[in-house]
Amino acid sequence: MCTSIVSNRGKTLIGWNLDILDMEYRVTVLKERVSIDIYDNGQWLPLFGANSRGEFINMPTCWPYDSRSDPAGPDRPTLPATNIDLLLGNTTLEEVRRRLGEGDRISSLPGVTYQAQYSDREGNVLQVVPGQGYSYQERPAFSVVTNFSPFKGDREQHPWMGWDRYNTAVELLEQVGARLDVPGCFDILKATAQTVCPTVVSMVFDPGESCVYWCEKQQWDKIGQHRLEP
């Protein structure tokens, strides 16, 4: 599950709820990034978060699974590897967009379809669903991704697709008017937080201020803060 929000109402803000079950995670705070790392196969993988270039990286699961997202060969880049490269500064959002435009394909992992809603300091949004396509929006008023494909909408139903969370987030963003602030972004994350597949980290990124805010396990009164440095 998970909910991703990009808002350009007045200023650019990115909101992110990480919803996971039976997985070990940690929040890593460094000078150049704040990442949410997942422990997998004996190593910590920085898969979600913000970097000092002003990019935000995430990877919600996309339901229902689409076999077109499976790797077609060992050399094709995967979405998890792309996330790590972006967070660690090994590539940029513009470079990922350029490669996609040149026909390169990004795969998911075998048997699971991930998707991404990447954003940059200016609030531009790159959405990628392996096997289905990608789209780029220049500074939209807002953009929301939950756990269904933006290319399919609600044409294919799944219990975990998060259509209710999507509608809740869109409704609240439409009500904001001309400006959304950090507390207001947390209010939207709180309204879309989950319990069955629990929300373990809620994060808000203000790229204009290079500042990341987060709380763990829905402790909304215990919010950490870190200013990123180049």
Side-chain angles (χ1 to χ4, degrees), residues 21-190:
L21 185 65
D22 299 329
M23 299 178 73
E24 191 174 355
Y25 79 93
R26 70 182 183 189
V27 177
T28 297
V29 180
L30 300 173
K31 181 181 72 172
E32 70 279 3
R33 76 172 189 268
V34 176
S35 63
I36 309 171
D37 310 337
I38 301 297
Y39 192 72
D40 183 60
N41 289 326
Q43 60 183 328
W44 287 99
L45 304 177
L47 293 173
F48 320 95
N51 63 31
S52 58
R53 286 196 305 248
E55 297 163 335
F56 196 90
I57 291 93
N58 60 49
M59 191 178 66
T61 306
C62 186
W63 298 101
Y65 157 71
D66 189 326
S67 63
R68 292 177 295 173
S69 69
D70 285 347
D75 298 328
R76 177 165 292 172
T78 66
L79 207 56
T82 301
N83 279 26
I84 293 170
D85 281 344
L86 281 164
L87 271 169
L88 299 186
N90 298 328
T91 188
T92 67
L93 186 61
E94 184 55 35
E95 288 169 347
V96 173
R97 178 192 174 198
R98 176 182 54 79
R99 293 199 304 266
L100 289 167
E102 292 173 351
D104 286 359
R105 286 188 58 191
I106 297 176
S107 300
S108 188
L109 296 180
V112 59
T113 300
Y114 290 119
Q115 59 185 329
Q117 177 162 265
Y118 301 138
S119 57
D120 61 17
R121 188 177 298 279
E122 288 72 39
N124 303 312
V125 176
L126 177 64
Q127 295 179 343
V128 183
V129 185
Q132 298 179 32
Y134 75 97
S135 66
Y136 181 74
Q137 303 173 69
E138 292 188 356
R139 198 173 167 80
F142 62 82
S143 181
V144 178
V145 165
T146 55
N147 297 101
F148 63 89
S149 166
F151 301 105
K152 294 182 180 180
D154 64 346
R155 287 180 290 132
E156 295 183 6
Q157 298 293 318
H158 191 282
W160 299 341
M161 64 187 293
W163 188 252
D164 56 337
R165 285 179 284 118
Y166 176 85
N167 287 332
T168 295
V170 167
E171 181 180 356
L172 292 173
L173 285 163
E174 288 175 339
Q175 293 173 2
V176 164
R179 189 169 184 84
L180 179 69
D181 57 14
V182 171
C185 195
F186 270 112
D187 286 342
I188 297 174
L189 295 179
K190 185 176 182 179

